[in-house]
Amino acid sequence: MNGGVESAQDDAKCPRHVAIIMDGNGRWASRRRLPRFTGHKAGVETVKEVVRTCGEKGIEVLTLFAFSSENWRRPQEEVGLLMGLFMTALDQQVRKLHEHNIRLRIIGDRSAFSRTLQERIEAAESLTENNSGLSLVIAANYGGRWDVIQATRTIASRVLAGELTPDEITPELLQSLLSLSDLPEPDLFIRTGGEKRVSNFLLWHLAYTELYFTDTLWPDFDRQAFEGALASFATRQRRFGRTGDQVATAQSI
Ligand code: IPE
Ligand code: IPE
Ligand code: MG
């Protein structure tokens, strides 16, 4: 078979956007009788490897859930350490990300972060905003419900100002006001750490995303494990409401 055709088919089976709940850091550390924070630090190494792999495979967007809007409920000490780790990782990695043509973006309610962290985030985003390689999105103090609510507030104020009628509120309009509105929808969702739930991640965006759950804890989620998730994605038939026959016919044209 013609190599060009083959690679076009392979491309079709590679997700454009992968979204990951990086779970299991604490358990990874506890099993080694280490403090939970050691697991979070080990998790940063996994992030680096997954980012590298995405770059190599030409994946366009990688969205990582780093801190949920509910994670403030954790002991104050862990929250403080996580914020510190986020800041350090930003400081140490931004230049490298930029060198690799990666565009960094942070989604979530950043108003809760310290002024310094907010400034570092803004600096990192503006340094990398014109890069054309992988878009790396970090969800920090993010919640899917928060995202829908902030979009809804904008809609409500436009209606109040008389700029919009209720009939003009469509899925496309709401989508355009959510985080990630300018990026393709997630094709593949991965959750490590064994739990089978969405934990208030991308609620709207996951409508037709393929879901992949693994017991592997995030610090152990190596290249081979990531490739296993990508291989599982490649076997899925995405029907978007149509029948399997309709999809197969459209693909063979
Ligand atoms: C995920 O790992 C990282 C964050 C939520 C910040 P956890 O810290 O939730 O690890 P487990 O689930 O307790 O093992
Ligand atoms: C989800 O993990 C959030 C992140 C990975 C950042 P959690 O560990 O907070 O989720 P729950 O509490 O088990 O649902
Ligand atoms: Mg967890």
Side-chain angles (χ1 to χ4, degrees):
M1 201 201 261
N2 171 319
V5 170
E6 232 168 46
S7 66
Q9 284 176 345
D10 288 350
D11 285 354
K13 288 179 175 174
C14 186
R16 294 178 68 192
H17 182 171
V18 179
I20 308 183
I21 297 188
M22 311 182 286
D23 197 20
N25 294 347
R27 280 164 286 162
W28 182 91
S30 303
R31 282 178 199 174
R32 288 167 174 72
R33 300 184 189 283
L34 294 166
R36 290 176 56 85
F37 182 61
T38 317
H40 297 314
K41 278 216 271 205
V44 175
E45 298 308 310
T46 305
V47 170
K48 291 187 204 166
E49 180 152 20
V50 168
V51 168
R52 256 196 307 274
T53 309
C54 285
E56 284 166 26
K57 296 196 180 288
I59 290 168
E60 292 168 49
V61 188
L62 172 66
T63 300
L64 299 175
F65 204 7
F67 191 88
S68 79
S69 44
E70 288 72 35
N71 286 146
W72 297 105
R73 296 175 183 158
R74 294 190 176 200
Q76 219 182 338
E77 191 199 355
E78 182 166 340
V79 171
L81 288 168
L82 280 168
M83 290 295 146
L85 188 62
F86 187 29
M87 185 106 86
T88 316
L90 262 184
D91 284 348
Q92 291 177 349
Q93 301 304 321
V94 168
R95 198 138 292 281
K96 272 188 218 147
L97 295 176
H98 187 46
E99 280 163 19
H100 285 90
N101 196 25
I102 293 169
R103 184 164 67 138
L104 181 69
R105 201 180 307 173
I106 313 299
I107 58 167
D109 181 3
R110 57 180 80 175
S111 66
F113 296 147
S114 71
R115 193 59 235 155
T116 326
L117 184 52
Q118 289 186 45
E119 282 166 7
R120 305 262 171 102
I121 289 173
E122 282 157 26
E125 286 180 329
S126 54
L127 176 72
T128 61
E129 73 185 339
N130 294 318
N131 290 343
S132 55
L134 173 73
S135 286
L136 173 61
V137 183
I138 307 290
N141 193 21
Y142 180 86
R145 290 177 178 173
W146 164 83
D147 207 358
V148 173
I149 291 299
Q150 63 80 23
T152 308
R153 284 198 183 121
T154 305
I155 291 177
S157 54
R158 287 192 193 164
V159 172
L160 263 182
E163 297 163 10
L164 196 68
T165 67
D167 289 347
E168 288 167 333
I169 302 171
T170 58
E172 291 74 23
L173 176 70
L174 191 92
Q175 142 80 25
S176 74
L177 296 167
L178 293 171
S179 306
L180 309 180
S181 61
D182 55 332
L183 297 171
E185 289 194 350
D187 300 298
L188 172 63
F189 160 99
I190 299 171
R191 181 172 188 145
T192 62
E195 312 299 351
K196 290 172 186 65
R197 54 180 173 250
V198 174
S199 299
N200 198 16
F201 193 27
L202 301 163
L203 299 180
W204 172 280
H205 310 75
L206 293 178
Y208 269 104
T209 305
E210 296 298 324
L211 307 180
Y212 181 86
F213 296 94
T214 171
D215 289 340
T216 304
L217 304 173
W218 179 248
D220 292 329
F221 191 73
D222 58 11
R223 191 187 171 99
Q224 202 187 349
F226 187 27
E227 281 176 347
L230 295 173
S232 167
F233 175 81
T235 65
R236 316 269 182 106
Q237 186 192 47
R238 304 186 74 190
R239 294 193 277 276
F240 298 98
R242 297 187 182 85
T243 68
D245 285 348
Q246 282 178 302
V247 175
T249 310
Q251 274 168 354
S252 66
I253 293 170

